[in-house]
Amino acid sequence: MIDFLVPVITMTALGLFFSVGLVFAYKKLKVEEDPRVEKLTEILPQSNCGACGYSGCRAYAQAVVTGEAPTNLCSAGGNEVAQQIAGIMGVEAEQVARKVARLHCRGTKEAAHSRGVYVGISTCEASHLIGGHKQCAYGCLGFGDCVHSCPFDAITMGEDGLPVVMEEKCTACGNCVEACPRNLLELHPVSQGIMVFCRSKDSAPTSRKVCKNACIACGICSRACPEAIVLEENLAVIKDYKKIPEEKIPAIEKCPTDAIGRIQKENEG
Amino acid sequence: MNTKTFPHGIHPPEYKEETAEKKLQHLSPPDKVFIPLSQHFGRPADPLVKKGDPVDLGQKIGKAPALFSAAVHSSVSGKVLKVGSTHHPSGKPLLAITIKNDGEDRLSSEVKEVEDPFSLSPDRIRERVKEAGIVGLGGAAFPTAVKLAPPKDKPIDTILINGCECEPVLTSDYRMMMEYSDDILQGAELIRKATGAEKIIVGIEDNKKKALSLFQEKTKGHPSTSVALLKTKYPQGAEKNLIYALLRREVPRGGLPFDVGVVVQNVGTTKVVYDGVKHGVPLYQRSLTVAGSGIGDPQNLMVRLGTPFQKVIDFCGGLKEDGPIVVMGGPMMGISQWTLDVPVIKGTSGILAWKLDSPPEETACIRCGRCISHCPMRLAPTQIKKYVEFEHLSEAEEWGVLDCVECGCCQYICPSKIPLVHWMRLGKAKVSNLKRKKKSE
């Protein structure tokens, strides 16, 4: 009879002891969390893309609540989310300028010549490490490191060997900008309708030899609109797209290599 | 004499017969030379000349901005045409000085001979080596002056002169040993003096018996210099392996030969050290082997730095067939080139060409472990590759990705044709990037 009671009593005593401990821990060691963190986390897109500069949506929510971060850093959520965050925080909503990633290269499989047969790891980073498999030392390598880096599936590899960014899916998180070993992707305001599709700093004869669509710094565009376009290191650079008036665009688009021009929206998506 | 060697490594076919007995020929300098400011391990040199400047043979045209760098000298006399980016054997366009050759080979007034180089102090020897822009000619192009300046707390007892030439096909070091044995031994003596070491050991592999007997004869009765026979194996010429083979000392992880009291110099480097210290002649030319099944008439040449590959290959009967691959360096560690406009640099130990029937096709790892059993650094390449592939960079570092010497044994032996060296290089780049990022934070 006694033998049977010993384990029962022991287990009951242990159970009581630990439950008291748990109750004590729950009451005394409780971490007070601002209920707004939970709410904000729910509103945020949960993609944990890191575009805001924090390690994830929850970390950003905590930073907003402590007042460390402004309410408009979530580019994936855009204006809508920024307004909701501002609503919860009880502050004025700050505008999020919608941006989109654009590729500064038109060196398609056809236009840009290859150096030879590439045998090695099929990523842009690995190819860039040994100088790249294209003759142009600045152009897109086409293995799609950007495609793999996009958490929103907004980039696909086109048939011409260049990545295509879908404007409506792109949230400007900037992961692709980081992933490109040649720095060819850049975040532009959606309203920017014209850009230079080249980053080659090679001299004109070299550029011409290695790629049909390379900027050869002939200066047609910068002469057409000197207040917004300048030549820097054998390359045309748009300093301020807002200063390019609509009527000057046809003159700029006379570019002999199509290295500058309007962004063709119908090609996207 | 018993043969020494190191554990692991491989035995690739040698293909050295074709050029071994061909004497070094001087290739006449071309009309234009392209001298890159980055031909060595470390920071690129700063240009000292500008467009239009007249230059003389051996004149310093690039200054070393840091300890880990090397000066660059003109290899012809003439006029500077351009200071700008040109093709570079590394695959990336880099800053170079283009000089038009006037054909006169006027020696620069900066080149000054000394009567007795052995009377110079160690500091003066180092200074003259540094001024001559000398770097290791085995291929890695590490600044020699740095190697000659061991830290105070690490005394050097032995100088190893590296006459292995373990890369297949290359025979230019062998030619240097056969034709300039006196200069090499004098240079070794200067290095011994600069570092305060006691012994000199010349290590020669057993496929170069003639060089071995020549050096044995020359060093007979010499108190501090000896010659050692090594069993032919790749990569014996990698300094850590050579140190183990000859002295049974192991360089600690991440360490340098200094740490075990050794300095290793290639035979070619030793010769130019003598030229630089005695005659004040800077490193403006180097020996190299032009060979391979794609070359019309394989040769050993003495070539001015900055000579385009095209000129060198033309001299050697041109490329045999259409579309062979051209490699700078040996077949194991060389870098394949896409254009023949690249210039010969200090690290160009050879120019090889052969026809590649079909590129190797990669298949999945079958976990045979051959890469592990052949790695001379005792790493596990297949495992490191997985860590790099899936961005487990701290594990990759722990498993020694930074200790890889990129000798290529793993990739040579891999039945699945996995580009393991490329993975190692990618891993090294990723790990060092991460470290740099962490440091800056």
Side-chain angles (χ1 to χ4, degrees):
Chain A
M1 190 62 188
I2 295 293
D3 288 354
F4 158 73
L5 275 177
V6 170
V8 171
I9 293 166
T10 321
M11 290 311 290
T12 317
L14 275 174
L16 272 171
F17 175 73
F18 283 121
S19 53
V20 168
L22 277 175
V23 168
F24 174 79
Y26 179 74
K27 293 273 184 212
K28 292 285 173 189
L29 304 175
K30 194 175 178 183
V31 178
E32 283 294 337
E33 201 190 39
D34 198 315
R36 290 179 297 179
V37 172
E38 201 58 44
K39 271 193 198 161
L40 289 182
T41 313
E42 270 165 34
I43 292 167
L44 289 165
Q46 302 299 334
S47 54
N48 295 324
C49 67
C52 51
Y54 293 88
S55 57
C57 294
R58 194 175 176 86
Y60 174 55
Q62 277 164 347
V64 170
V65 169
T66 54
E68 191 186 312
T71 55
N72 63 343
L73 287 187
C74 183
S75 62
N79 257 336
E80 202 181 311
V81 167
Q83 261 162 15
Q84 287 181 37
I85 296 173
I88 290 171
M89 296 303 295
V91 293
E92 194 83 5
E94 290 161 81
Q95 280 292 315
V96 181
R98 190 158 133 62
K99 286 187 166 183
V100 60
R102 302 270 193 217
L103 181 73
H104 285 259
C105 180
R106 261 185 182 169
T108 56
K109 277 181 192 159
E110 208 179 282
H113 305 296
S114 130
R115 286 187 173 182
V117 184
Y118 174 78
V119 184
I121 308 166
S122 304
T123 66
C124 306
E125 196 184 4
S127 176
H128 179 67
L129 194 67
I130 53 164
H133 59 279
K134 277 186 177 172
Q135 293 193 6
C136 175
Y138 301 91
C140 173
L141 293 164
F143 283 122
D145 283 11
C146 50
V147 176
H148 304 303
S149 78
C150 182
F152 302 98
D153 292 337
I155 312 180
T156 52
M157 189 48 72
E159 269 170 28
D160 58 0
L162 292 182
V164 181
V165 182
M166 286 172 253
E167 200 178 302
E168 64 277 17
K169 277 195 185 175
C170 177
T171 63
C173 68
N175 283 7
C176 53
V177 178
E178 288 267 314
C180 181
R182 293 194 154 173
N183 264 328
L184 292 171
L185 286 146
E186 197 178 284
L187 301 178
H188 285 188
V190 176
S191 53
Q192 177 169 352
I194 183 167
M195 66 179 277
V196 180
F197 297 96
C198 185
R199 280 268 165 94
S200 168
K201 288 174 182 165
D202 277 331
S203 63
T206 314
S207 304
R208 195 89 180 125
K209 214 158 62 186
V210 300
C211 177
K212 273 193 232 164
N213 292 345
C215 172
I216 52 169
C218 62
I220 290 179
C221 55
S222 60
R223 278 195 298 278
C225 189
E227 54 280 6
I229 305 171
V230 290
L231 295 182
E232 278 174 5
E233 294 181 84
N234 295 322
L235 182 65
V237 177
I238 297 180
K239 283 281 162 198
D240 186 357
Y241 75 96
K242 286 177 194 145
K243 284 191 190 153
I244 304 177
E246 194 62 29
E247 65 272 15
K248 280 190 179 170
I249 290 180
I252 292 168
E253 280 192 318
K254 280 197 183 127
C255 176
T257 59
D258 284 339
I260 186 169
R262 257 189 248 267
I263 297 159
Q264 286 155 358
K265 311 239 168 179
E266 65 272 16
N267 281 357
E268 286 173 355
Chain B
M1 197 175 216
N2 54 341
T3 53
K4 297 171 170 172
T5 194
F6 64 99
H8 298 190
I10 55 168
H11 297 278
E14 289 168 24
Y15 300 119
K16 287 190 192 252
E17 353 38 81
E18 204 175 25
T19 52
E21 295 313 321
K22 288 192 175 165
K23 285 195 171 168
L24 284 164
Q25 290 192 56
H26 281 264
L27 176 66
S28 54
D31 306 336
K32 257 198 246 172
V33 288
F34 306 87
I35 303 178
L37 290 163
S38 181
Q39 305 186 32
H40 44 262
F41 174 86
R43 295 237 318 254
D46 290 336
L48 292 174
V49 290
K50 54 183 192 305
K51 191 181 166 179
D53 283 358
V55 288
D56 294 337
L57 175 63
Q59 182 182 334
K60 201 202 254 189
I61 53 174
K63 178 179 87 190
L67 182 64
F68 284 91
S69 183
V72 176
H73 300 79
S74 174
S75 58
V76 293
S77 64
K79 212 170 92 179
V80 176
L81 287 182
K82 186 182 136 189
V83 180
S85 86
T86 50
H87 295 302
H88 190 275
S90 71
K92 294 170 186 170
L94 290 172
L95 203 61
I97 295 171
T98 309
I99 300 168
K100 185 160 171 48
N101 182 8
D102 61 10
E104 287 174 25
D105 271 358
R106 259 186 334 274
L107 200 62
S108 162
S109 58
E110 291 169 11
V111 178
K112 287 195 189 86
E113 192 164 336
V114 291
E115 199 60 43
D116 177 17
F118 296 99
S119 65
L120 297 173
S121 70
D123 276 337
R124 279 288 294 154
I125 294 175
R126 274 194 287 272
E127 199 181 305
R128 280 179 79 80
V129 167
K130 191 166 189 231
E131 281 306 299
I134 295 169
V135 301
L137 297 183
F142 191 85
T144 303
V146 179
K147 274 195 178 180
L148 298 188
K152 285 247 158 52
D153 55 330
K154 288 172 185 163
I156 300 300
D157 57 36
T158 311
I159 307 293
L160 299 184
I161 303 301
N162 184 350
C164 298
E165 196 158 57
C166 58
E167 276 268 9
V169 191
L170 303 184
T171 55
S172 65
D173 277 0
Y174 171 66
R175 289 317 310 167
M176 291 297 272
M177 287 194 276
M178 294 305 287
E179 293 170 35
Y180 298 99
S181 53
D182 291 325
D183 289 7
I184 292 171
L185 289 170
Q186 302 254 23
E189 200 56 44
L190 285 170
I191 293 168
R192 190 175 76 91
K193 198 153 183 287
T195 52
E198 295 145 29
K199 281 190 299 180
I200 298 170
I201 305 175
V202 186
I204 299 173
E205 283 190 343
D206 59 7
N207 60 356
K208 291 178 269 291
K209 286 267 167 63
K210 275 192 195 167
L212 183 85
S213 38
L214 179 70
F215 271 77
Q216 274 172 337
E217 201 182 297
K218 297 260 178 193
T219 55
K220 207 172 267 172
H222 206 283
S224 59
T225 312
S226 61
V227 184
L229 182 66
L230 293 154
K231 194 173 156 232
T232 304
K233 201 205 266 187
Y234 179 85
Q236 192 124 247
E239 57 183 15
K240 287 171 188 166
N241 298 332
L242 187 64
I243 294 169
Y244 187 81
L246 291 176
L247 302 169
R248 289 283 179 271
R249 295 183 196 167
E250 206 168 318
V251 178
R253 190 175 175 186
L256 287 168
F258 288 154
D259 297 317
V260 290
V262 182
V263 165
V264 183
Q265 293 290 354
N266 169 274
V267 283
T269 321
T270 315
K271 192 229 177 243
V272 294
V273 164
Y274 177 70
D275 288 346
V277 178
K278 163 85 172 122
H279 303 295
V281 177
L283 180 56
Y284 67 76
Q285 59 179 4
R286 70 155 297 150
S287 61
L288 54 89
T289 302
V290 189
S293 58
I295 298 282
D297 178 21
Q299 298 281 352
N300 279 308
L301 299 176
M302 200 59 125
V303 180
R304 300 285 174 96
L305 300 180
T307 307
F309 278 25
Q310 185 71 58
K311 294 271 178 209
V312 181
I313 290 174
D314 285 350
F315 181 81
C316 298
L319 292 177
K320 257 189 204 159
E321 56 227 292
D322 274 346
I325 56 166
V326 176
V327 167
M328 180 190 96
M332 293 299 297
M333 286 188 72
I335 309 167
S336 70
Q337 303 295 321
W338 65 278
T339 164
L340 296 180
D341 294 337
V342 291
V344 169
I345 59 170
K346 290 176 183 173
T348 310
S349 50
I351 299 175
L352 311 178
W354 60 86
K355 181 105 182 142
L356 190 68
D357 298 328
S358 58
E361 227 164 89
E362 185 185 339
T363 51
C365 174
I366 56 169
R367 305 190 69 73
C368 63
R370 276 186 232 180
C371 54
I372 300 170
S373 59
H374 288 83
C375 176
M377 299 310 290
R378 299 177 211 166
L379 304 176
T382 169
Q383 192 62 27
I384 295 174
K385 180 234 165 188
K386 288 216 169 75
Y387 284 138
V388 174
E389 189 174 4
F390 298 107
E391 300 270 338
H392 289 228
L393 297 182
S394 58
E395 279 93 340
E397 194 188 347
E398 215 170 283
W399 281 63
V401 67
L402 298 179
D403 298 311
C404 170
V405 294
E406 301 175 25
C407 65
C409 289
C410 51
Q411 191 166 335
Y412 177 83
I413 213 79
C414 178
S416 297
K417 307 279 175 242
I418 299 169
L420 287 162
V421 179
H422 201 176
W423 280 110
M424 294 295 142
R425 291 183 66 182
L426 186 65
K428 281 183 179 184
K430 281 184 188 230
V431 170
S432 345
N433 274 346
L434 192 75
K435 277 189 163 178
R436 216 172 302 137
K437 235 186 218 170
K438 270 190 188 154
K439 223 182 201 175
S440 66
E441 263 168 22

